[in-house]
Amino acid sequence: MRPSHSIESSMLTLYYFLLFRSTSCSTVPADLQMSFPPSTVNGSAAADLASFMHPSTPWDTEWYAFNPPMPPYLKGSSDMRFAGSFGTSGGTKTVRGVIHFSDLSMCWYSVTFGNGGVTRWARFLPCPAPMSGAALQRAAETHGAAVATFTEDAAASGRPVARGECWDIANEGLQYAASLYGPNGAPVLSTPYHSLSASISTSVTPSPSTVPSPSLRAPSTTTGADTSADT
């Protein structure tokens, strides 16, 4: 976000950033489906891709033989980031891809083909569990003053934050707030901002569990987490 925008606009951006983080994988009523991120069949976009890669899913084309090696139903989508590669060994060729979806889930996949048929493989990381209202409240009480101070200083500086994108003010503000705490959650009291020091002294005691770090969970094979088989 560029500093010419109002402070209210900056904080509104942060609000929607946290709102998306807390509801991106939540279950919503059928008559209240969100348009973003797109709806899924298996709980996350990465799980849907892993299901597509499963040997039980028929493929109508040899899409993996073309560049980029992206599943056809995802081509043209703007709700993801994709990276792919090709490799050869003897008479076989392997294509690999990784996709980071807008619901924060990720899927890694590969297809090996040539002599001996086609081998599919996929593994996915589901989107992180939504934060509870209590966790969001604790985070606001612990980091809110720091994020507000960062946003106000950014607006007063007259310079873009990071790349100048609208979500950068939230991302950089949260990183700044995190830098004010030591490895055990103890606040760094040398901050020059008096309002922040006062907030720290009156807010709840910071804890490393305030905003839990995502863990790399090994998904169950029943959900298509690891689909390795020959077809």
Side-chain angles (χ1 to χ4, degrees), residues 50-208:
S51 177
F52 173 81
M53 294 297 300
H54 195 274
S56 63
T57 302
W59 291 346
D60 297 330
T61 63
E62 295 182 348
W63 59 268
Y64 47 83
F66 300 92
N67 189 22
M70 183 184 298
Y73 81 93
L74 290 174
K75 289 186 176 180
S77 172
S78 60
D79 298 312
M80 64 182 190
R81 291 184 177 181
F82 165 80
S85 65
F86 292 87
T88 58
S89 177
T92 63
K93 187 173 186 178
T94 299
V95 297
R96 298 179 178 86
V98 57
I99 298 180
H100 189 194
F101 293 97
S102 60
D103 64 359
L104 307 184
S105 64
M106 294 185 69
C107 186
W108 297 260
Y109 64 89
S110 68
V111 181
T112 300
F113 58 99
N115 299 332
V118 177
T119 300
R120 313 181 189 187
W121 175 91
R123 178 169 293 175
F124 74 93
L125 182 68
C127 50
M131 295 175 65
S132 66
L136 286 172
Q137 179 65 29
R138 290 195 300 271
E141 293 173 347
T142 304
H143 305 299
V147 173
T149 296
F150 178 88
T151 306
E152 291 166 354
D153 288 350
S157 70
R159 297 188 300 271
V161 173
R163 300 165 302 172
E165 299 292 338
C166 61
W167 76 280
D168 284 330
I169 190 71
N171 182 59
E172 298 296 322
L174 291 172
Q175 290 191 39
Y176 168 75
S179 71
L180 300 178
Y181 292 86
N184 296 319
V188 178
L189 299 179
S190 60
T191 172
Y193 301 107
H194 301 293
S195 60
L196 176 60
S197 299
S199 174
I200 291 175
S201 65
T202 58
S203 65
V204 295
T205 303
S207 168

